[in-house]
Amino acid sequence: MHIQPSGRRWLYLSLGYLCLLLAALGVLLPLLPTTPFLLLAAGCFARSSARFYRALLGNRIFGPLIRDWREHGAIPRRAKILAITLMLSVMTATALFAIPHPAGQITLLGFGVGLSVWLWRLPTRESIDG
């Protein structure tokens, strides 16, 4: 971990908070990816605030994902399956019940399938524990 000089430190700290906010929104919004923003936040905090970086790594939900990516360059299979299932469930419900036009429904579902394929093709770690 390398803390940057003052001007860059504030830039990285601000970007870290922005990425963390986007990651939190990604938990609720299926089109916004949580994991990439979470990894970006961790990288920004590693360069700006050892305290925030340790807090993020120590988080019981997000910490293991960040550590797995940092140490192994992979996402746990369970996290992938959960993310894809939730994303496709919310997108399907939205397409069926909130979008009146078939073209919009097809576009949303196509985007969901594309995101799912992209996520599934990322390196997989069989277990978060070992």
Side-chain angles (χ1 to χ4, degrees):
M1 180 167 50
H2 175 67
I3 303 298
Q4 298 291 324
S6 185
R8 287 187 186 171
R9 180 180 184 269
W10 286 106
L11 176 64
Y12 280 119
L13 192 62
S14 299
L15 287 173
Y17 279 121
L18 176 63
C19 290
L20 191 58
L21 174 66
L22 291 172
L25 287 173
V27 171
L28 304 172
L29 302 172
L31 292 178
L32 199 58
T34 301
T35 303
F37 286 118
L38 188 63
L39 295 173
L40 283 171
C44 288
F45 287 145
R47 289 167 179 78
S48 62
S49 171
R51 187 177 107 208
F52 291 135
Y53 183 66
R54 281 192 308 270
L56 199 53
L57 285 177
N59 181 280
R60 69 178 183 85
I61 296 170
F62 298 131
L65 290 171
I66 296 167
R67 285 190 302 274
D68 242 21
W69 185 261
R70 187 181 67 189
E71 295 168 11
H72 306 286
I75 298 173
R77 183 174 304 280
R78 181 173 176 229
K80 279 186 177 185
I81 291 170
L82 180 63
I84 290 170
T85 301
L86 289 174
M87 181 179 60
L88 287 178
S89 297
V90 170
M91 286 182 158
T92 300
T94 300
L96 293 175
F97 301 115
I99 298 178
H101 303 291
Q105 293 171 335
I106 292 169
T107 300
L108 181 62
L109 292 174
F111 193 66
V113 169
L115 278 173
S116 297
V117 168
W118 172 78
L119 180 59
W120 191 256
R121 293 191 63 186
L122 289 175
T124 301
R125 183 142 165 87
E126 291 304 320
S127 171
I128 203 159
D129 298 322

